[in-house]
Amino acid sequence: MTEMNENLLKQSVPGVPPLSMKRPARATIYFASMIALLLNAPAVAQTSLEEADLRLLQVAERLQNSNAPLCDRQAPSLGAALQSRDQYPTGSGPVFQADVTFAVLLPGGSAAGAGIVKGDGLLAVDGAAIAKRPDLAEMPLRDSAFAMLADHPKGQALRLTIKHGDETREVLLDTTEQCRALVEVLVEGATTARSDGRVIQVSLGLVQRMSDTQLAVVFAHELAHAVMHHRDRLEAQDVSKGLGGEFGRDRRLNAEAEIEADRLSAHLLANAGYDPYTATEFWRSDLGRSIGGGLLRSRVYSSPAERAAILAREIADYLGGGAPSWPGHLLARR
Ligand SMILES: [Zn+2]
């Protein structure tokens, strides 16, 4: 929920690792814990990390696939999430078969359908070996692998070189396009969700406290930031990433982005087959009010009650025809 602003705050702190680190440094935990203070609700169920990864991927794929026509930045839908060795501090993390591996696979997804299983290594995309790209040099290798996948020409079979144990083989995948975003569960107990325009992270603590439908509400808001190019637009306007973003003109522009994301999220939910009113219900629920309210709420966000009202107005004004919805009035702003 704290997504853009909280994430921007994090990135302005020297020494804090990039957004794609699975394990945050102490300073990251500090900022996230401010949010955790607001939420005393116990976890709904003791979801394991593996279950959380799968639940988030299921919700994300449904929203990313069904909203592909709204997205001018696309990637092939694999039904899988990647991770790389360099996302973990040296000496920790799982045993890797290759520098980049498949961390989660959806049953029925195109990667699983090609026989790829959890833990398999990804060595090459369309014959090109996985390697860091200059524009992503500061980010984990996983991000470069994802960028290579996203660059695959639409409409052609995707050729992946896979390492399974000692065996290396090539597989051909028929994929459809989806909205482009890297998605992952962040291993921390705090209740945060955030995006930086490329990567969307939802904390394990938040996944554990939410139903799949609530997870869809939160993810749709984060995906809306990516669809609207908010990060790029705010950077182009030189909007402060830190505490300065809470005041004056920067506060206004950050707040406008948050309202746009809430409004667009109703359309994204409807297109994915969710009742868009689940978003208004979420902000009126105990969970939504405890996450989005309180004295520590950033000045960038409307109150939970205001967010519910903004969503209800958007649905009444623009979603009368149901899905599929083409929210041209919002997309025209990007
Ligand atoms: Zn947001």
Side-chain angles (χ1 to χ4, degrees):
M1 338 301 304
T2 44
E3 55 310 301
M4 290 290 282
N5 187 59
E6 215 223 1
N7 164 51
L8 298 173
L9 193 62
K10 284 181 172 76
Q11 295 217 325
S12 69
V13 178
V16 172
L19 187 55
S20 299
M21 294 291 280
K22 289 282 272 189
R23 286 160 192 270
R26 186 176 299 274
T28 312
I29 292 168
Y30 169 72
F31 285 112
S33 69
M34 298 203 309
I35 310 304
L37 284 173
L38 303 175
L39 189 76
N40 299 315
V44 171
Q46 282 307 316
T47 318
S48 70
L49 177 60
E50 194 172 347
E51 289 165 331
D53 276 335
L54 197 57
R55 284 183 56 210
L56 177 62
L57 186 61
Q58 257 161 357
V59 167
E61 288 277 319
R62 183 168 160 184
L63 280 155
Q64 288 173 274
N65 290 344
S66 57
N67 285 293
L70 277 60
C71 292
D72 56 7
R73 296 172 181 169
Q74 297 182 332
S77 168
L78 295 183
L82 302 172
Q83 63 179 350
S84 55
R85 210 190 297 265
D86 57 2
Q87 284 181 271
Y88 295 86
T90 311
S92 73
V95 176
F96 278 82
Q97 293 200 32
D99 289 337
V100 174
T101 62
F102 286 85
V104 200
L105 290 107
L106 282 187
S110 64
I116 298 170
V117 297
K118 182 181 165 87
D120 279 358
L122 174 62
L123 302 181
V125 175
D126 293 327
I130 302 295
K132 276 251 170 126
R133 290 161 62 123
D135 57 327
L136 295 168
E138 304 297 312
M139 307 306 285
L141 183 61
R142 185 273 316 261
D143 293 41
S144 291
F146 181 77
M148 293 169 74
L149 289 165
D151 283 350
H152 170 78
K154 210 191 268 197
Q156 295 179 20
L158 175 64
R159 184 161 55 96
L160 302 181
T161 310
I162 303 297
K163 184 170 189 293
H164 178 80
D166 295 332
E167 168 206 352
T168 298
R169 65 194 165 91
E170 293 210 330
V171 295
L172 280 178
L173 280 72
D174 279 321
T175 57
T176 53
E177 297 295 304
Q178 64 171 203
C179 294
R180 177 177 175 168
L182 267 163
V183 179
E184 68 187 2
V185 174
L186 182 70
V187 186
E188 63 181 38
T191 52
T192 55
R194 55 187 185 238
S195 61
D196 70 351
R198 291 183 315 107
V199 184
I200 297 174
Q201 291 182 326
V202 182
S203 73
L204 179 60
L206 196 51
V207 176
Q208 286 174 332
R209 284 170 173 82
M210 291 190 298
S211 67
D212 284 355
T213 310
Q214 291 173 324
L215 195 51
V217 170
V218 169
F219 185 83
H221 174 95
E222 300 301 335
L223 183 61
H225 280 309
V227 176
M228 294 300 293
H229 306 171
H230 277 153
R231 167 57 73 94
D232 293 347
R233 286 165 54 200
L234 291 170
E235 279 185 356
Q237 295 176 93
D238 205 23
V239 171
S240 168
K241 299 176 178 182
L243 285 171
E246 303 248 327
F247 300 98
R249 162 190 173 270
D250 289 2
R251 189 204 75 87
R252 180 176 58 77
L253 292 172
N254 279 320
E256 278 176 10
E258 291 307 324
I259 290 171
E260 274 183 12
D262 275 343
R263 293 178 65 186
L264 184 63
S265 72
H267 301 268
L268 302 183
L269 287 166
N271 286 343
Y274 295 99
D275 179 350
Y277 282 105
T278 54
T280 58
E281 282 164 22
F282 175 77
W283 289 113
R284 288 172 181 146
S285 71
D286 289 346
L287 182 63
R289 283 185 292 142
S290 62
I291 288 174
L295 293 173
L296 293 176
R297 175 165 62 86
S298 160
R299 289 162 44 82
V300 163
Y301 298 95
S302 308
S303 71
E306 288 163 343
R307 296 181 76 167
I310 289 164
L311 280 154
R313 198 154 54 236
E314 181 71 16
I315 296 166
D317 289 351
Y318 293 100
L319 271 159
S325 167
W326 181 261
H329 60 296
L330 296 171
L331 298 178
R333 302 181 184 188
R334 74 184 173 195

